[in-house]
Amino acid sequence: MDLAFIPSPSRGVVDLGPIPLRGYAFCIIIGVFVAVWLGNKRWVARGGQSGTVADIAVWAVPFGLVGGRLYHVITDYQLYFSEGRDWVDAFKIWEGGLGIWGAIALGAVGAWIGCRRRGIPLPAWADALAPGIALAQAIGRWGNWFNQELYGKATDVPWALKITSAEDGRVPGTYHPTFLYESLWCVGVAVLVIWADRRFKLGHGRAFALYVASYCAGRAWIEYMRVDDAHHVLGVRLNVWTAIVVFVLAVVYLVISAKTRPGREEIVEPAAVASGGDDGDDASADAAESDGGAKPTEAEKANAEAKTEAKADGAGSAKKS
Protein backbone atom coordinates (compact mmCIF):
# COMPACT_ATOMS: atom_id res chain seq x y z
CA MET A 1 0.00 0.00 0.00
CA ASP A 2 1.36 3.39 -1.01
CA LEU A 3 1.36 5.74 1.96
CA ALA A 4 2.59 8.78 0.03
CA PHE A 5 2.71 9.80 -3.61
CA ILE A 6 2.28 12.76 -5.93
CA PRO A 7 -1.28 12.72 -7.29
CA SER A 8 -1.97 13.34 -10.97
CA PRO A 9 -4.69 15.80 -11.97
CA SER A 10 -7.96 14.16 -12.97
CA ARG A 11 -7.93 16.19 -16.19
CA GLY A 12 -5.51 18.51 -17.93
CA VAL A 13 -8.08 21.12 -18.96
CA VAL A 14 -9.80 23.83 -16.92
CA ASP A 15 -12.85 25.41 -18.55
CA LEU A 16 -13.06 29.18 -18.08
CA GLY A 17 -16.57 29.58 -19.40
CA PRO A 18 -16.44 28.74 -23.11
CA ILE A 19 -12.62 28.89 -23.13
CA PRO A 20 -10.71 25.65 -22.37
CA LEU A 21 -7.45 26.38 -20.54
CA ARG A 22 -5.07 23.47 -21.07
CA GLY A 23 -2.49 22.91 -18.37
CA TYR A 24 0.28 22.04 -20.84
CA ALA A 25 -0.16 25.24 -22.85
CA PHE A 26 -0.52 27.30 -19.67
CA CYS A 27 2.84 26.05 -18.39
CA ILE A 28 4.54 26.85 -21.70
CA ILE A 29 3.10 30.39 -21.72
CA ILE A 30 4.16 31.09 -18.12
CA GLY A 31 7.64 29.76 -18.90
CA VAL A 32 8.02 32.09 -21.88
CA PHE A 33 7.02 35.13 -19.80
CA VAL A 34 9.48 34.21 -17.03
CA ALA A 35 12.31 33.72 -19.54
CA VAL A 36 11.65 37.10 -21.20
CA TRP A 37 11.31 38.89 -17.84
CA LEU A 38 14.60 37.55 -16.45
CA GLY A 39 16.35 37.90 -19.79
CA ASN A 40 15.31 41.57 -19.97
CA LYS A 41 16.75 42.28 -16.50
CA ARG A 42 20.03 40.64 -17.42
CA TRP A 43 20.16 42.39 -20.80
CA VAL A 44 19.64 45.83 -19.24
CA ALA A 45 22.32 45.05 -16.65
CA ARG A 46 24.71 44.33 -19.54
CA GLY A 47 24.02 47.75 -21.06
CA GLY A 48 21.18 46.96 -23.45
CA GLN A 49 17.80 48.61 -23.83
CA SER A 50 14.74 47.43 -21.97
CA GLY A 51 12.36 45.68 -24.35
CA THR A 52 15.01 44.37 -26.75
CA VAL A 53 14.80 40.83 -25.36
CA ALA A 54 11.03 40.78 -25.86
CA ASP A 55 11.34 42.15 -29.39
CA ILE A 56 13.72 39.37 -30.37
CA ALA A 57 11.63 36.78 -28.51
CA VAL A 58 8.80 37.61 -30.92
CA TRP A 59 10.98 35.92 -33.54
CA ALA A 60 12.57 33.24 -31.38
CA VAL A 61 9.47 31.83 -29.66
CA PRO A 62 7.41 30.95 -32.77
CA PHE A 63 10.47 29.43 -34.44
CA GLY A 64 11.19 27.51 -31.24
CA LEU A 65 7.66 26.11 -30.98
CA VAL A 66 7.77 24.96 -34.60
CA GLY A 67 11.22 23.45 -34.14
CA GLY A 68 10.25 21.69 -30.93
CA ARG A 69 7.16 20.20 -32.52
CA LEU A 70 9.03 19.13 -35.66
CA TYR A 71 11.67 17.31 -33.61
CA HIS A 72 9.00 15.50 -31.61
CA VAL A 73 6.96 14.49 -34.67
CA ILE A 74 10.04 13.34 -36.60
CA THR A 75 11.52 11.29 -33.75
CA ASP A 76 8.12 9.87 -32.70
CA TYR A 77 6.52 9.65 -36.13
CA GLN A 78 4.82 6.35 -35.24
CA LEU A 79 2.47 8.27 -32.94
CA TYR A 80 1.01 10.14 -35.91
CA PHE A 81 1.66 8.21 -39.11
CA SER A 82 1.38 4.52 -38.19
CA GLU A 83 -1.68 2.42 -38.81
CA GLY A 84 -4.71 3.54 -36.82
CA ARG A 85 -3.24 6.99 -36.13
CA ASP A 86 -4.49 10.33 -37.42
CA TRP A 87 -1.75 12.52 -38.93
CA VAL A 88 -3.79 15.61 -38.07
CA ASP A 89 -2.85 15.01 -34.42
CA ALA A 90 0.68 16.09 -35.31
CA PHE A 91 -0.60 19.68 -35.28
CA LYS A 92 -2.26 19.42 -31.85
CA ILE A 93 0.60 20.94 -29.91
CA TRP A 94 -1.63 21.59 -26.89
CA GLU A 95 -1.83 17.84 -26.25
CA GLY A 96 1.90 17.73 -25.51
CA GLY A 97 5.00 16.88 -27.47
CA LEU A 98 7.82 19.42 -27.78
CA GLY A 99 11.45 18.41 -28.24
CA ILE A 100 13.82 20.85 -26.55
CA TRP A 101 16.56 20.04 -29.06
CA GLY A 102 14.46 21.23 -32.00
CA ALA A 103 13.10 24.17 -30.01
CA ILE A 104 16.57 25.51 -29.22
CA ALA A 105 17.93 24.84 -32.72
CA LEU A 106 15.14 26.52 -34.69
CA GLY A 107 14.56 29.09 -31.95
CA ALA A 108 18.17 30.17 -32.45
CA VAL A 109 17.41 30.81 -36.12
CA GLY A 110 14.53 33.07 -35.15
CA ALA A 111 16.71 34.82 -32.56
CA TRP A 112 19.43 35.33 -35.18
CA ILE A 113 16.93 37.03 -37.46
CA GLY A 114 15.73 39.27 -34.64
CA CYS A 115 19.26 40.14 -33.52
CA ARG A 116 20.33 40.91 -37.07
CA ARG A 117 17.40 43.30 -37.47
CA ARG A 118 18.38 45.09 -34.23
CA GLY A 119 22.10 45.08 -34.98
CA ILE A 120 23.14 43.21 -31.84
CA PRO A 121 25.32 40.10 -31.35
CA LEU A 122 23.36 36.87 -30.98
CA PRO A 123 25.82 35.36 -28.44
CA ALA A 124 25.34 38.28 -26.05
CA TRP A 125 21.55 38.01 -26.30
CA ALA A 126 21.75 34.25 -25.75
CA ASP A 127 23.90 34.77 -22.65
CA ALA A 128 21.31 37.13 -21.19
CA LEU A 129 18.47 34.69 -21.87
CA ALA A 130 20.21 31.44 -20.84
CA PRO A 131 19.06 31.11 -17.18
CA GLY A 132 15.57 32.26 -18.18
CA ILE A 133 15.35 29.44 -20.71
CA ALA A 134 16.28 26.95 -17.99
CA LEU A 135 13.52 28.33 -15.74
CA ALA A 136 11.07 28.19 -18.66
CA GLN A 137 11.90 24.50 -19.08
CA ALA A 138 11.44 23.94 -15.34
CA ILE A 139 7.94 25.44 -15.55
CA GLY A 140 7.10 23.81 -18.86
CA ARG A 141 7.83 20.32 -17.52
CA TRP A 142 4.79 20.61 -15.26
CA GLY A 143 2.73 20.46 -18.43
CA ASN A 144 3.72 16.77 -18.59
CA TRP A 145 2.22 16.35 -15.11
CA PHE A 146 -1.10 17.72 -16.36
CA ASN A 147 -1.01 15.28 -19.28
CA GLN A 148 0.13 12.29 -17.17
CA GLU A 149 3.05 11.60 -19.50
CA LEU A 150 6.83 11.12 -19.63
CA TYR A 151 7.16 9.42 -16.26
CA GLY A 152 9.86 6.98 -15.23
CA LYS A 153 10.06 3.41 -14.00
CA ALA A 154 7.65 1.94 -11.45
CA THR A 155 8.56 2.75 -7.85
CA ASP A 156 7.10 3.00 -4.37
CA VAL A 157 9.23 5.89 -3.07
CA PRO A 158 7.26 8.51 -1.09
CA TRP A 159 7.57 11.03 -3.93
CA ALA A 160 6.33 8.61 -6.60
CA LEU A 161 3.92 9.93 -9.22
CA LYS A 162 0.55 8.19 -9.30
CA ILE A 163 -0.75 7.61 -12.82
CA THR A 164 -4.50 7.06 -13.02
CA SER A 165 -5.10 7.23 -16.79
CA ALA A 166 -5.19 4.03 -18.83
CA GLU A 167 -5.23 5.78 -22.23
CA ASP A 168 -2.57 5.30 -24.93
CA GLY A 169 -1.08 2.23 -23.30
CA ARG A 170 -0.61 3.71 -19.82
CA VAL A 171 -0.73 1.31 -16.89
CA PRO A 172 -2.09 2.93 -13.71
CA GLY A 173 0.38 2.79 -10.84
CA THR A 174 3.17 4.77 -9.14
CA TYR A 175 6.25 5.79 -11.11
CA HIS A 176 9.35 7.96 -10.82
CA PRO A 177 8.26 11.59 -11.49
CA THR A 178 10.89 12.32 -14.12
CA PHE A 179 9.07 15.56 -14.99
CA LEU A 180 9.79 16.72 -11.42
CA TYR A 181 13.42 15.58 -11.55
CA GLU A 182 14.00 17.55 -14.74
CA SER A 183 12.13 20.58 -13.40
CA LEU A 184 14.31 20.72 -10.29
CA TRP A 185 17.45 20.10 -12.36
CA CYS A 186 16.58 23.05 -14.62
CA VAL A 187 16.15 25.32 -11.60
CA GLY A 188 19.63 24.26 -10.50
CA VAL A 189 20.97 24.97 -13.99
CA ALA A 190 19.52 28.49 -13.88
CA VAL A 191 21.14 29.15 -10.49
CA LEU A 192 24.48 27.76 -11.73
CA VAL A 193 24.51 29.96 -14.85
CA ILE A 194 23.62 33.11 -12.89
CA TRP A 195 26.34 32.39 -10.32
CA ALA A 196 29.00 31.52 -12.90
CA ASP A 197 28.15 34.57 -14.99
CA ARG A 198 28.60 36.89 -12.02
CA ARG A 199 31.74 35.11 -10.82
CA PHE A 200 33.56 34.71 -14.12
CA LYS A 201 31.96 37.44 -16.30
CA LEU A 202 31.01 35.01 -19.07
CA GLY A 203 30.60 36.48 -22.52
CA HIS A 204 30.47 35.66 -26.24
CA GLY A 205 27.93 32.87 -25.75
CA ARG A 206 29.68 31.07 -22.90
CA ALA A 207 26.83 31.54 -20.41
CA PHE A 208 24.51 29.95 -22.95
CA ALA A 209 27.00 27.13 -23.59
CA LEU A 210 27.19 26.48 -19.85
CA TYR A 211 23.41 26.25 -19.73
CA VAL A 212 23.41 23.77 -22.62
CA ALA A 213 26.16 21.60 -21.14
CA SER A 214 24.70 21.48 -17.63
CA TYR A 215 21.19 20.79 -18.92
CA CYS A 216 22.44 17.93 -21.11
CA ALA A 217 24.29 16.39 -18.15
CA GLY A 218 20.99 16.10 -16.29
CA ARG A 219 18.85 15.22 -19.28
CA ALA A 220 21.01 12.18 -20.06
CA TRP A 221 20.35 10.37 -16.76
CA ILE A 222 16.74 11.53 -16.48
CA GLU A 223 16.01 10.36 -20.02
CA TYR A 224 17.52 6.98 -19.15
CA MET A 225 14.88 6.56 -16.42
CA ARG A 226 11.88 7.13 -18.68
CA VAL A 227 9.69 4.24 -19.84
CA ASP A 228 7.72 5.85 -22.66
CA ASP A 229 8.24 4.51 -26.17
CA ALA A 230 11.33 5.90 -27.89
CA HIS A 231 13.73 5.02 -30.68
CA HIS A 232 16.97 3.36 -29.56
CA VAL A 233 20.46 3.43 -31.05
CA LEU A 234 22.82 0.66 -29.86
CA GLY A 235 20.34 -0.10 -27.09
CA VAL A 236 20.30 3.48 -25.78
CA ARG A 237 17.46 5.97 -26.17
CA LEU A 238 17.97 8.47 -29.00
CA ASN A 239 17.63 11.48 -26.70
CA VAL A 240 20.41 10.15 -24.47
CA TRP A 241 22.76 10.11 -27.45
CA THR A 242 21.58 13.59 -28.43
CA ALA A 243 22.29 14.87 -24.92
CA ILE A 244 25.80 13.38 -24.99
CA VAL A 245 26.66 14.84 -28.40
CA VAL A 246 25.29 18.29 -27.56
CA PHE A 247 27.08 18.23 -24.19
CA VAL A 248 30.42 17.58 -25.89
CA LEU A 249 29.82 20.35 -28.44
CA ALA A 250 28.92 22.83 -25.70
CA VAL A 251 32.04 22.01 -23.67
CA VAL A 252 34.26 22.31 -26.76
CA TYR A 253 32.72 25.72 -27.49
CA LEU A 254 33.34 26.83 -23.90
CA VAL A 255 37.02 25.91 -24.08
CA ILE A 256 37.70 27.33 -27.54
CA SER A 257 35.71 30.52 -26.95
CA ALA A 258 37.48 31.22 -23.65
CA LYS A 259 40.84 31.02 -25.43
CA THR A 260 39.99 32.92 -28.60
CA ARG A 261 37.57 35.55 -27.21
CA PRO A 262 38.21 36.03 -23.48
CA GLY A 263 36.16 38.45 -21.42
CA ARG A 264 32.77 39.95 -22.24
CA GLU A 265 31.47 42.05 -25.10
CA GLU A 266 32.24 45.72 -24.39
CA ILE A 267 29.04 46.92 -26.05
CA VAL A 268 26.02 44.62 -26.45
CA GLU A 269 23.61 47.09 -28.06
CA PRO A 270 25.05 50.09 -29.95
CA ALA A 271 21.65 51.79 -30.09
CA ALA A 272 21.50 51.90 -26.29
CA VAL A 273 24.88 53.62 -26.12
CA ALA A 274 24.14 56.05 -28.95
CA SER A 275 20.81 57.10 -27.43
CA GLY A 276 22.48 58.18 -24.20
CA GLY A 277 19.08 57.95 -22.51
CA ASP A 278 17.80 56.61 -19.24
CA ASP A 279 18.24 53.00 -20.35
CA GLY A 280 22.00 53.40 -20.32
CA ASP A 281 21.95 54.95 -16.84
CA ASP A 282 19.64 52.23 -15.55
CA ALA A 283 21.91 49.62 -17.07
CA SER A 284 24.94 50.93 -15.19
CA ALA A 285 22.97 51.01 -11.94
CA ASP A 286 21.64 47.49 -12.44
CA ALA A 287 25.07 46.18 -13.33
CA ALA A 288 26.60 47.70 -10.20
CA GLU A 289 23.76 46.34 -8.07
CA SER A 290 24.08 42.84 -9.54
CA ASP A 291 27.76 42.76 -8.60
CA GLY A 292 27.10 43.87 -5.04
CA GLY A 293 28.37 47.39 -5.52
CA ALA A 294 31.65 46.32 -7.12
CA LYS A 295 33.79 48.68 -9.15
CA PRO A 296 32.78 49.15 -12.79
CA THR A 297 34.14 46.50 -15.14
CA GLU A 298 36.12 47.30 -18.28
CA ALA A 299 32.99 46.65 -20.36
CA GLU A 300 30.98 49.10 -18.25
CA LYS A 301 33.74 51.71 -18.57
CA ALA A 302 33.74 51.21 -22.32
CA ASN A 303 29.97 51.71 -22.41
CA ALA A 304 30.30 54.92 -20.40
CA GLU A 305 33.06 56.24 -22.66
CA ALA A 306 31.06 55.39 -25.77
CA LYS A 307 28.04 57.23 -24.35
CA THR A 308 30.18 60.30 -23.61
CA GLU A 309 31.57 60.30 -27.14
CA ALA A 310 28.08 59.88 -28.62
CA LYS A 311 26.77 62.83 -26.59
CA ALA A 312 29.78 64.95 -27.59
CA ASP A 313 29.23 64.15 -31.26
CA GLY A 314 25.58 65.05 -30.89
CA ALA A 315 26.41 68.36 -29.26
CA GLY A 316 28.97 69.13 -31.93
CA SER A 317 26.46 68.48 -34.68
CA ALA A 318 23.94 70.73 -32.97
CA LYS A 319 26.41 73.62 -32.83
CA LYS A 320 27.32 73.25 -36.49
CA SER A 321 23.69 73.34 -37.50
Side-chain angles (χ1 to χ4, degrees):
M1 179 178 179
D2 298 316
L3 299 179
F5 54 82
I6 300 174
S8 290
S10 57
R11 57 197 303 259
V13 183
V14 176
D15 293 319
L16 297 179
I19 303 175
L21 180 61
R22 299 182 180 275
Y24 186 89
F26 190 58
C27 291
I28 297 297
I29 293 171
I30 293 177
V32 170
F33 274 103
V34 169
V36 171
W37 169 78
L38 181 58
N40 183 70
K41 287 179 67 67
R42 287 171 52 80
W43 183 253
V44 171
R46 287 286 303 276
Q49 291 180 318
S50 178
T52 296
V53 168
D55 291 344
I56 296 174
V58 170
W59 288 90
V61 171
F63 273 74
L65 289 175
V66 172
R69 189 60 174 177
L70 281 175
Y71 181 89
H72 167 71
V73 172
I74 291 173
T75 56
D76 290 305
Y77 61 86
Q78 72 280 357
L79 299 177
Y80 307 100
F81 302 104
S82 60
E83 185 177 355
R85 298 284 184 168
D86 187 355
W87 64 271
V88 175
D89 291 341
F91 297 95
K92 297 179 180 179
I93 192 172
W94 56 86
E95 294 184 352
L98 288 175
I100 185 61
W101 316 111
I104 294 297
L106 205 55
V109 175
W112 175 79
I113 294 174
C115 287
R116 185 176 178 83
R117 289 169 61 89
R118 292 294 294 259
I120 63 176
L122 174 61
W125 185 84
D127 282 342
L129 205 65
I133 295 176
L135 289 180
Q137 289 178 253
I139 297 170
R141 272 305 175 198
W142 284 85
N144 301 133
W145 176 67
F146 280 102
N147 287 352
Q148 296 198 38
E149 61 185 1
L150 306 188
Y151 43 85
K153 301 174 183 178
T155 183
D156 57 359
V157 295
W159 57 89
L161 173 67
K162 186 168 186 177
I163 297 298
T164 58
S165 173
E167 298 179 1
D168 295 329
R170 297 184 184 93
V171 178
T174 54
Y175 300 86
H176 276 288
T178 51
F179 84 91
L180 178 60
Y181 298 160
E182 186 168 338
S183 180
L184 293 176
W185 183 272
C186 287
V187 172
V189 169
V191 172
L192 171 65
V193 173
I194 292 174
W195 171 81
D197 196 23
R198 289 181 177 179
R199 175 67 176 81
F200 302 106
K201 303 298 181 185
L202 302 176
H204 301 286
R206 287 189 288 277
F208 184 81
L210 176 61
Y211 144 71
V212 172
S214 52
Y215 169 73
C216 288
R219 178 61 185 268
W221 68 265
I222 294 172
E223 181 75 23
Y224 186 76
M225 295 179 66
R226 283 167 45 171
V227 295
D228 53 298
D229 292 334
H231 294 288
H232 289 69
V233 177
L234 300 179
V236 179
R237 292 169 68 97
L238 175 61
N239 280 334
V240 174
W241 285 113
T242 304
I244 293 173
V245 171
V246 176
F247 171 84
V248 172
L249 292 176
V251 172
V252 170
Y253 179 86
L254 273 169
V255 174
I256 295 177
S257 176
K259 291 182 178 180
T260 58
R261 306 186 72 183
R264 275 182 172 175
E265 297 88 344
E266 293 185 350
I267 298 175
V268 297
E269 189 169 6
V273 177
S275 65
D278 294 335
D279 285 340
D281 297 334
D282 292 341
S284 299
D286 288 344
E289 182 180 352
S290 67
D291 290 329
K295 294 182 180 180
T297 63
E298 293 300 322
E300 292 161 2
K301 291 179 181 179
N303 273 336
E305 292 174 0
K307 282 176 56 180
T308 303
E309 292 176 1
K311 289 181 178 180
D313 292 341
S317 300
K319 289 180 180 180
K320 291 179 181 179
S321 60

